[in-house]
């Protein structure tokens, strides 16, 4: 039999989530690791946590909290200057479980949009294959993803602006689309409408 005595490096935190609590605030929550890096039970009382924030498409990581003993934390991103081109962006948060012996690998939450919301009416048509607002996607199953493109040779954009998004991947795959924050205050019944072109077979007549 193998017995371990002492403090070991923990396994990763699990169930890391980040949700909006205000335009520029996010609440990050997670579950404590039940075992150490070698799979042995570990006491939650000896584990502490650091939380980091990373802006999408950048390499800069900011540590926003250290040595936490609770399993949640609320962060607020800095205000963006008034003359900035974009007033919100996507951020991802990571939680690092640690003991006196060492740190686990970061456990990451999905991206969350933070900043000043877009006003309505909100329109995104991907002109010339480029988004005019912040936009990201994440796979739900398989390797499927949403991409941005100009018109295809046999498929043109419905509004004639030479741009669209398309879903690529296996037939049983799925992917989600994420927009930035949109201010729906005062709208009794918000509605989302969009054009779609479905490829249902090899014959264009079936599309």
């Amino acid at each position: 039999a193998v017995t371990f005595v002492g403090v070991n490096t923990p396994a990763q935190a699990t169930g890391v989530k980040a949700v909006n609590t205000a335009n520029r605030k996010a609440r990050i929550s997670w579950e404590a690791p039940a075992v150490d890096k070698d799979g042995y039970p570990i006491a939650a009382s000896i584990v502490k946590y650091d939380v980091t924030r990373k802006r999408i498409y950048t390499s800069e990581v900011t540590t926003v909290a250290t040595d936490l003993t609770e399993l949640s934390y609320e962060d607020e991103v800095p205000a963006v200057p008034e003359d900035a081109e974009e007033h919100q962006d996507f951020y991802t948060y990571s939680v690092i479980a640690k003991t006196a012996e060492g740190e686990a690998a970061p456990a990451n939450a999905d991206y969350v949009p933070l900043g000043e919301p877009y006003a309505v009416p909100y329109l995104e048509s991907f002109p010339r294959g480029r988004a005019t607002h912040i936009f990201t996607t994440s796979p739900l199953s398989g390797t499927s993803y949403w991409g941005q493109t100009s018109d295809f040779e046999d498929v043109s954009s419905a509004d004639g602006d030479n741009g669209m998004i398309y879903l690529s991947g296996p037939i049983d795959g799925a992917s989600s689309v994420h927009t930035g924050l949109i201010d729906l205050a005062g709208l009794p019944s918000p509605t989302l409408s969009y054009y779609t072109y479905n490829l249902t077979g090899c014959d264009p007549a079936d599309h």
Side-chain angles (χ1 to χ4, degrees):
V2 177
T3 301
F4 178 83
V5 177
V7 176
N8 199 1
T9 301
Q12 287 180 290
T14 59
V16 181
K17 298 178 181 178
V19 297
N20 297 90
T21 56
N23 292 345
R24 292 175 27 232
K25 292 182 179 181
R27 182 176 181 82
I28 305 93
S29 61
W30 59 92
E31 297 176 9
V35 296
D36 63 22
K37 68 180 181 66
D38 296 318
Y40 297 106
I42 189 170
S45 60
I46 67 171
V47 183
K48 295 183 178 181
Y49 306 92
D50 295 344
V51 178
T52 64
R53 179 183 68 224
K54 177 182 174 295
R55 192 171 183 174
I56 194 171
Y57 306 132
T58 70
S59 58
E60 182 178 351
V61 176
T62 301
T63 298
V64 298
T66 58
D67 296 332
L68 298 175
T69 56
E70 301 294 325
L71 299 180
S72 66
Y73 179 78
E74 186 173 71
D75 180 53
E76 181 174 10
V77 299
V80 177
E82 287 294 329
D83 59 353
E85 182 177 345
E86 183 60 71
H87 288 84
Q88 63 171 308
D89 212 339
F90 288 102
Y91 295 84
T92 186
Y93 288 90
S94 299
V95 175
I96 303 166
K98 64 182 184 180
T99 62
E101 184 63 21
E103 298 181 350
N108 305 321
D110 290 336
Y111 281 107
V112 60
L114 295 170
E116 296 305 314
Y118 298 122
V120 291
Y122 170 89
L123 173 66
E124 179 58 75
S125 64
F126 303 94
R128 298 176 299 280
R130 293 288 184 271
T132 55
H133 305 83
I134 66 168
F135 157 86
T136 190
T137 79
S138 58
L140 297 176
S141 64
T143 56
S144 297
Y145 65 91
W146 287 93
Q148 305 172 61
T149 183
S150 54
D151 288 358
F152 293 101
E153 181 178 348
D154 56 346
V155 181
S156 299
S157 55
D159 58 2
D161 67 358
N162 189 31
M164 66 186 80
I165 57 172
Y166 65 94
L167 177 63
S168 178
I171 293 176
D172 58 348
S175 179
S176 59
V177 174
H178 307 274
T179 71
L181 298 173
I182 303 171
D183 187 357
L184 302 179
L187 296 181
S189 183
T191 301
L192 171 67
S193 61
Y194 57 92
Y195 296 103
T196 181
Y197 186 88
N198 297 315
L199 302 177
T200 57
C202 296
D203 188 344
D206 295 332
H207 298 168

